[in-house]
Amino acid sequence: MKGYIVYSDYQIINNETIIQLYGRLENGESFVTQSPLIPYFYIKEKDLNSVAQLLSKYKIEKTNLVNFDNEKVIKISASTSTELNKLNQVIHKKVQTYEADIKPALRFLMDNDILGTINVSGDYQSSEKINRIYNNPEIKPIYFKPKLKIASIDIESSKKTGGLFCIGIYTENHKKVFMITSHNLKNTIKCKTESECLKKFKEEIIKLDPDIITGWNVISFDLQYLKELFAKHKISIDLGRNNEQLKLRIESNFFRSSNADIAGRQVLDALNLIKDPFIQEAPTIKKAEFDSYTLEDVSQAILGSGKLIKGKKRHEEIEGLYHKNTEASHQKLSDYNLMDCQLVYEILEKTKMIDLAIERSQL
């Protein structure tokens, strides 16, 4: 069965390094492969005697490899990456080590000549969060173009109090808003409290099982806000394909992009993608001129349409719509929330940015 790798990671299980490759199969099901890896690095063969006492517990193998100075190197292996890292810290003070900084998942991909797509075969099980779990399957590199599931999300909240109004999700064939409201609204799930809204949003993400979560400034704003709100209500923010919590690295440096880690999925910020110099050269984008990188300006330039509520005072209007608390005002806010999700999704579709990102991953 052909599959596309969306996310790779590793765990130490029973004193073994287990590589986990998550992704989407050609039949539309999600998968994870779990394969053992014996981690290793290299040292120069002539340095072996000087560190031999430190290597008594480790496997040592001769190789046909050389460094850039054409000096022979030998391979040092350990049962886990943790153990190997500790060894490297000690040995590196005495001799030069090679490839000790390669992370286990990347090492597995390199050793098996895998780029982005694989052919996987073997027995599998299923779980609540993933369709197929393969334990030590046969994996071979292959090429095919995947159809990934993309979910665009957006939140609306109070600028004054920070309270949550609603969370929208838009996919190819699914659109829904989770709103704290007492009204029965179109495309809207009504919730009594913030806590209920967060729980239902999480349940929906797990049910939809997207490969990619996107949005406009989704990492530094939406996900950061949600992470804090989940913590406030003491709700686990495990939005991925296992029980690990959302991890964020928010960068204040203009030249660095913030990062979000959701196990088994990729978070692609559409704002960062549209700024990417490589993607800017794509024929679908480079003719577009943006007055700014706001969602309104970019969507107008690319799609010829924009947000339902515009202008510098839109936050005041959003606040007013929510607190007016009528069916009409809450429906307008729900529609606005969903349209922001839809605009991001359509920008990605129109510009084929996800296709470009997939192609880059195969190179």
Side-chain angles (χ1 to χ4, degrees), residues 38-43 45 48 55 58-65 72-78:
I38 299 176
Y40 61 88
F41 60 69
Y42 301 97
I43 64 171
E45 188 174 293
L48 177 59
L55 300 175
Y58 301 93
K59 186 177 181 181
I60 303 171
E61 298 174 81
K62 288 193 173 185
T63 74
N64 295 320
L65 304 175
K72 288 185 177 182
V73 297
I74 57 175
K75 182 178 177 181
I76 312 296
S77 305

Side-chain angles (χ1 to χ4, degrees), residues 25 33 53 202 311:
L25 295 169
T33 64
Q53 289 184 335
K202 183 174 85 166

